[in-house]
Amino acid sequence: MISVTVKQKPHFNLNWWDPTQKDWSKVLLEDQKPFWKDERNPSNGTPWEARINPTGDWPILHKTGQMQDTAEIVPYNRGFMVNTTDYGPYQQFGTSKMVARPWMGIPETSMAQLSAISWKHILS
């Protein structure tokens, strides 16, 4: 059995979600970078499937760096939206002629930080 004694009335910030979303966005975006470098799916760490590229053999997210440089995770309604290049979704989900190479996700490294960020704002 667990018992808890509260010596003073706790204060909870009922407007915690907006600042939490902003802090989560920063953490989530930063935590993608090692996976991009290693060409792995951030959600589960699996390597991207090999792709035959007719114009050369390069790591798809490293040719120009534009997708990485322009990507941003922004709060949207009660969730998040990813702003990126026009071809970002095709890389993430694939097409009928191109295998998916998921480059956005929620890595374990992010999950470990999200609850602490939430509590920081709830108790502020």
Side-chain angles (χ1 to χ4, degrees):
M1 179 173 169
I2 297 173
S3 67
V4 176
T5 304
V6 178
K7 295 186 179 193
Q8 67 185 69
K9 185 178 175 182
H11 168 73
F12 297 108
N13 178 6
L14 299 179
N15 298 313
W16 65 277
W17 180 240
D18 289 339
T20 298
Q21 273 185 304
K22 289 176 185 158
D23 283 356
W24 279 9
S25 294
K26 295 172 196 168
V27 166
L28 289 169
L29 187 59
E30 191 62 32
D31 286 352
Q32 307 301 310
K33 293 176 183 179
F35 292 93
W36 294 344
K37 182 179 181 234
D38 296 340
E39 298 182 2
R40 294 181 294 129
N41 181 336
S43 295
N44 59 23
T46 58
W48 293 340
E49 192 172 325
R51 181 182 298 167
I52 304 300
N53 193 320
T55 59
D57 183 24
W58 67 80
I60 198 69
L61 291 182
H62 300 285
K63 184 176 183 194
T64 67
Q66 185 177 6
M67 201 159 62
Q68 294 169 331
D69 294 344
T70 63
E72 74 178 324
I73 299 173
V74 293
Y76 179 74
N77 289 334
R78 290 292 183 201
F80 298 91
M81 179 174 57
V82 176
N83 291 332
T84 186
T85 61
D86 292 341
Y87 53 89
Y90 302 113
Q91 298 293 331
Q92 178 76 18
F93 302 110
T95 68
S96 61
K97 297 181 180 183
M98 182 173 81
V99 297
R101 293 179 124 186
W103 59 284
M104 294 298 277
I106 302 177
E108 285 293 320
T109 53
S110 297
M111 292 300 291
Q113 299 175 69
L114 299 183
S115 63
I117 291 169
S118 300
W119 279 111
K120 176 182 84 172
H121 292 292
I122 290 169
L123 298 175
S124 66

